[in-house]
Amino acid sequence: MYVTVEDFLKEWEREAELTQKVLEGLTDESLEQKVYPEGRTLGRLAWHITTTIPEYLNHFGVKTDQKENPETVPASAKEIAEAFKRTSTAAAEAIRLHWTDESLKDVQAAFGRQETNAQILMGLIKHTVHHRGQMTVLIRQAGIKPYGVYGPPKEDWVHLGVEKPPL
Protein backbone atom coordinates (compact mmCIF):
# COMPACT_ATOMS: atom_id res chain seq x y z
CA MET A 1 0.00 0.00 0.00
CA TYR A 2 1.11 3.54 -0.58
CA VAL A 3 2.61 5.33 2.40
CA THR A 4 3.51 8.49 0.50
CA VAL A 5 1.99 10.33 -2.44
CA GLU A 6 5.34 9.94 -4.16
CA ASP A 7 5.08 6.13 -3.81
CA PHE A 8 1.79 6.24 -5.70
CA LEU A 9 3.04 8.68 -8.33
CA LYS A 10 6.03 6.48 -9.17
CA GLU A 11 3.75 3.52 -9.81
CA TRP A 12 1.12 5.65 -11.58
CA GLU A 13 3.71 7.12 -13.94
CA ARG A 14 5.09 3.66 -14.77
CA GLU A 15 1.64 2.15 -15.37
CA ALA A 16 0.54 5.20 -17.38
CA GLU A 17 3.66 4.85 -19.52
CA LEU A 18 2.84 1.19 -20.19
CA THR A 19 -0.76 2.05 -21.03
CA GLN A 20 0.47 4.83 -23.32
CA LYS A 21 2.60 2.32 -25.23
CA VAL A 22 -0.41 0.03 -25.65
CA LEU A 23 -2.54 2.92 -26.90
CA GLU A 24 0.14 4.08 -29.32
CA GLY A 25 0.01 0.65 -30.97
CA LEU A 26 -3.66 1.03 -31.91
CA THR A 27 -4.82 1.81 -35.42
CA ASP A 28 -8.01 3.59 -36.39
CA GLU A 29 -9.32 0.32 -37.85
CA SER A 30 -8.56 -1.64 -34.68
CA LEU A 31 -10.82 0.60 -32.60
CA GLU A 32 -13.88 -1.35 -33.83
CA GLN A 33 -12.59 -4.77 -32.64
CA LYS A 34 -14.91 -6.59 -30.22
CA VAL A 35 -14.67 -9.91 -28.39
CA TYR A 36 -18.38 -10.58 -28.95
CA PRO A 37 -21.18 -8.67 -30.71
CA GLU A 38 -22.57 -6.93 -27.59
CA GLY A 39 -19.14 -6.26 -26.09
CA ARG A 40 -17.21 -3.03 -25.85
CA THR A 41 -15.01 -2.14 -28.77
CA LEU A 42 -11.30 -1.68 -28.35
CA GLY A 43 -11.87 2.03 -28.91
CA ARG A 44 -14.55 2.14 -26.20
CA LEU A 45 -12.19 0.46 -23.71
CA ALA A 46 -9.36 2.86 -24.57
CA TRP A 47 -11.68 5.85 -24.23
CA HIS A 48 -13.19 4.44 -21.03
CA ILE A 49 -9.76 4.26 -19.39
CA THR A 50 -9.05 7.82 -20.47
CA THR A 51 -12.34 9.41 -19.44
CA THR A 52 -12.82 7.63 -16.13
CA ILE A 53 -9.54 8.85 -14.63
CA PRO A 54 -10.82 12.39 -13.94
CA GLU A 55 -14.32 11.11 -13.13
CA TYR A 56 -12.88 8.73 -10.53
CA LEU A 57 -10.59 11.34 -8.98
CA ASN A 58 -13.30 14.01 -8.83
CA HIS A 59 -15.61 11.55 -7.09
CA PHE A 60 -13.03 11.22 -4.31
CA GLY A 61 -12.28 14.93 -3.96
CA VAL A 62 -9.29 15.33 -6.27
CA LYS A 63 -10.35 18.09 -8.63
CA THR A 64 -9.29 17.68 -12.24
CA ASP A 65 -10.89 18.55 -15.57
CA GLN A 66 -13.33 15.99 -16.91
CA LYS A 67 -13.55 15.06 -20.58
CA GLU A 68 -16.37 16.46 -22.63
CA ASN A 69 -18.57 13.82 -24.25
CA PRO A 70 -17.09 10.72 -22.60
CA GLU A 71 -19.75 8.67 -24.40
CA THR A 72 -18.43 9.61 -27.86
CA VAL A 73 -15.38 7.54 -28.75
CA PRO A 74 -13.03 9.36 -31.13
CA ALA A 75 -12.48 7.66 -34.49
CA SER A 76 -8.76 8.38 -34.27
CA ALA A 77 -6.46 6.10 -32.28
CA LYS A 78 -3.91 8.91 -32.15
CA GLU A 79 -6.48 11.25 -30.61
CA ILE A 80 -7.25 8.70 -27.88
CA ALA A 81 -3.56 8.15 -27.12
CA GLU A 82 -2.92 11.89 -26.93
CA ALA A 83 -5.95 12.40 -24.67
CA PHE A 84 -4.76 9.62 -22.35
CA LYS A 85 -1.33 11.21 -22.07
CA ARG A 86 -2.82 14.59 -21.13
CA THR A 87 -5.29 12.99 -18.71
CA SER A 88 -2.78 10.75 -16.92
CA THR A 89 -0.34 13.66 -16.54
CA ALA A 90 -3.10 15.95 -15.22
CA ALA A 91 -4.17 13.23 -12.78
CA ALA A 92 -0.66 13.01 -11.31
CA GLU A 93 -0.50 16.78 -10.94
CA ALA A 94 -3.95 16.92 -9.31
CA ILE A 95 -3.10 14.18 -6.81
CA ARG A 96 0.17 15.92 -5.96
CA LEU A 97 -1.77 19.16 -5.32
CA HIS A 98 -4.77 17.75 -3.43
CA TRP A 99 -3.45 14.94 -1.27
CA THR A 100 -0.60 14.65 1.20
CA ASP A 101 1.16 11.70 2.73
CA GLU A 102 -1.05 12.17 5.78
CA SER A 103 -4.29 12.40 3.78
CA LEU A 104 -3.58 8.98 2.22
CA LYS A 105 -4.71 7.58 5.59
CA ASP A 106 -8.10 9.35 5.44
CA VAL A 107 -11.08 7.03 4.94
CA GLN A 108 -13.94 7.53 2.49
CA ALA A 109 -16.91 5.54 1.27
CA ALA A 110 -15.82 3.82 -1.92
CA PHE A 111 -17.94 1.35 -3.86
CA GLY A 112 -19.97 0.26 -0.86
CA ARG A 113 -17.10 -0.04 1.60
CA GLN A 114 -14.75 2.17 3.59
CA GLU A 115 -11.31 2.64 2.04
CA THR A 116 -8.33 4.83 2.73
CA ASN A 117 -7.30 7.29 0.06
CA ALA A 118 -4.26 5.07 -0.52
CA GLN A 119 -6.62 2.15 -1.28
CA ILE A 120 -8.66 4.39 -3.56
CA LEU A 121 -5.52 5.26 -5.53
CA MET A 122 -4.66 1.57 -5.79
CA GLY A 123 -8.16 1.05 -7.21
CA LEU A 124 -7.46 3.61 -9.91
CA ILE A 125 -4.37 1.72 -11.00
CA LYS A 126 -6.15 -1.65 -10.85
CA HIS A 127 -8.99 -0.28 -12.98
CA THR A 128 -6.55 0.91 -15.63
CA VAL A 129 -4.56 -2.34 -15.60
CA HIS A 130 -7.73 -4.45 -15.79
CA HIS A 131 -8.97 -2.71 -18.93
CA ARG A 132 -5.50 -2.55 -20.44
CA GLY A 133 -5.41 -6.33 -20.19
CA GLN A 134 -8.73 -6.58 -21.99
CA MET A 135 -7.35 -4.28 -24.66
CA THR A 136 -4.32 -6.49 -25.31
CA VAL A 137 -6.62 -9.40 -26.16
CA LEU A 138 -8.59 -7.23 -28.58
CA ILE A 139 -5.36 -5.91 -30.08
CA ARG A 140 -4.25 -9.46 -30.81
CA GLN A 141 -7.66 -10.28 -32.30
CA ALA A 142 -7.38 -7.17 -34.50
CA GLY A 143 -4.21 -8.66 -35.98
CA ILE A 144 -1.80 -6.26 -34.28
CA LYS A 145 1.21 -7.29 -32.23
CA PRO A 146 0.52 -6.01 -28.71
CA TYR A 147 3.06 -4.03 -26.76
CA GLY A 148 4.83 -6.22 -24.21
CA VAL A 149 3.52 -4.73 -20.99
CA TYR A 150 5.16 -6.92 -18.34
CA GLY A 151 7.05 -9.11 -20.76
CA PRO A 152 7.53 -9.54 -24.48
CA PRO A 153 4.77 -10.66 -26.86
CA LYS A 154 5.34 -14.05 -28.46
CA GLU A 155 6.93 -12.52 -31.57
CA ASP A 156 9.73 -11.01 -29.48
CA TRP A 157 10.78 -14.14 -27.59
CA VAL A 158 13.27 -14.88 -30.35
CA HIS A 159 15.18 -11.71 -29.34
CA LEU A 160 15.66 -13.32 -25.93
CA GLY A 161 17.15 -16.45 -27.43
CA VAL A 162 13.92 -18.46 -27.14
CA GLU A 163 12.77 -19.99 -30.40
CA LYS A 164 9.36 -21.04 -29.15
CA PRO A 165 7.54 -19.26 -26.31
CA PRO A 166 6.70 -21.47 -23.34
CA LEU A 167 3.14 -22.74 -23.18
Side-chain angles (χ1 to χ4, degrees):
M1 192 55 55
Y2 308 114
V3 177
T4 68
V5 171
E6 200 55 41
D7 289 342
F8 166 77
L9 291 172
K10 284 178 188 173
E11 186 167 11
W12 175 254
E13 288 167 8
R14 176 68 179 138
E15 292 300 330
E17 179 184 319
L18 292 170
T19 301
Q20 189 68 44
K21 295 285 190 188
V22 170
L23 293 171
E24 289 171 357
L26 301 179
T27 64
D28 294 349
E29 298 76 28
S30 71
L31 298 180
E32 295 304 315
Q33 184 66 43
K34 293 181 181 182
V35 170
Y36 60 98
E38 300 81 28
R40 289 177 173 168
T41 64
L42 179 53
R44 166 60 60 205
L45 284 169
W47 195 237
H48 172 72
I49 289 173
T50 302
T51 60
T52 56
I53 293 168
E55 178 184 317
Y56 185 97
L57 291 174
N58 280 311
H59 181 79
F60 295 110
V62 177
K63 300 300 177 206
T64 186
D65 290 336
Q66 294 200 28
K67 295 282 173 221
E68 293 180 27
N69 297 323
E71 300 82 29
T72 305
V73 178
S76 164
K78 183 178 180 182
E79 183 179 339
I80 294 171
E82 288 171 352
F84 178 83
K85 185 169 191 125
R86 287 189 305 274
T87 301
S88 63
T89 299
E93 291 170 9
I95 291 163
R96 190 175 275 120
L97 285 173
H98 287 87
W99 282 353
T100 64
D101 297 348
E102 194 58 33
S103 70
L104 291 181
K105 299 173 191 172
D106 293 348
V107 176
Q108 298 189 53
F111 312 109
R113 55 190 179 270
Q114 296 294 305
E115 293 189 352
T116 65
N117 286 339
Q119 290 171 306
I120 287 167
L121 290 177
M122 177 62 79
L124 178 61
I125 287 181
K126 288 179 178 181
H127 177 261
T128 302
V129 169
H130 164 72
H131 289 303
R132 186 178 67 208
Q134 291 176 318
M135 288 173 49
T136 60
V137 172
L138 290 169
I139 288 168
R140 179 66 75 188
Q141 288 182 330
I144 301 170
K145 180 178 95 169
Y147 178 77
V149 176
Y150 296 128
K154 68 179 183 174
E155 295 88 347
D156 292 342
W157 278 86
V158 69
H159 303 300
L160 300 174
V162 179
E163 292 196 27
K164 184 177 177 188
L167 298 176

